[in-house]
Amino acid sequence: MAEGTELADRIAERRAGVGDPRGLVGELRRALVLVPLDGGGLWTASFGGVRWVCGFTDKGALARFAETRDDSGRVWEFAVVRGARLLDEVVPAMGEPAGVAINVADPEGAMLFPPVVGIVSDMVAVDAGEPDGGRGG
């Protein structure tokens, strides 16, 4: 899954303080990510008033997530979803503030894509009504 590798590389750049934030969002939009399935839908978690769709750049990252769960013996089914579909279709359909969390079990490789202008549709961005999309400038 080479596309996920590119996303992981862009995340590493941003975490190191280099790279283009818009380029990172673009890479997520192009990437195919693995999203665990749960109860017939995509795996999500709530944190900080936001519903997060949890995606992974490769099977190794998904396996590390599975190891952190207390579900021994569970077979983790997953969907392969283009990041653009998550941002443009899944997030707006959730009916609440929602974003995408990538590689959440990797403390040095995780990245959150929150529901803000420039990441998700302005229709569902929590800062869409603020001047400059909440960027303060």
Side-chain angles (χ1 to χ4, degrees), residues 93-117:
M94 295 183 81
E96 63 183 298
V100 177
I102 299 294
N103 294 348
V104 295
D106 295 340
E108 301 301 317
M111 183 64 63
L112 299 177
F113 295 85
V116 296
V117 169

Side-chain angles (χ1 to χ4, degrees), residues 42-124:
L42 300 178
W43 180 275
T44 64
S46 290
F47 180 76
V50 175
R51 172 74 55 186
W52 298 96
V53 178
C54 299
F56 301 89
T57 55
D58 57 38
K59 288 181 180 177
L62 176 56
R64 288 186 294 279
F65 169 75
E67 289 172 8
T68 67
R69 308 291 308 158
D70 191 21
D71 295 330
S72 59
R74 176 179 175 173
V75 174
W76 286 83
E77 295 182 41
F78 60 88
V80 179
V81 183
R82 180 110 20 224
R85 185 167 184 208
L86 292 174
L87 295 173
D88 297 343
E89 297 175 27
V90 174
V91 164
M94 295 183 81
E96 63 183 298
V100 177
I102 299 294
N103 294 348
V104 295
D106 295 340
E108 301 301 317
M111 183 64 63
L112 299 177
F113 295 85
V116 296
V117 169
I119 296 178
V120 300
S121 164
D122 289 358
M123 286 187 334
V124 296

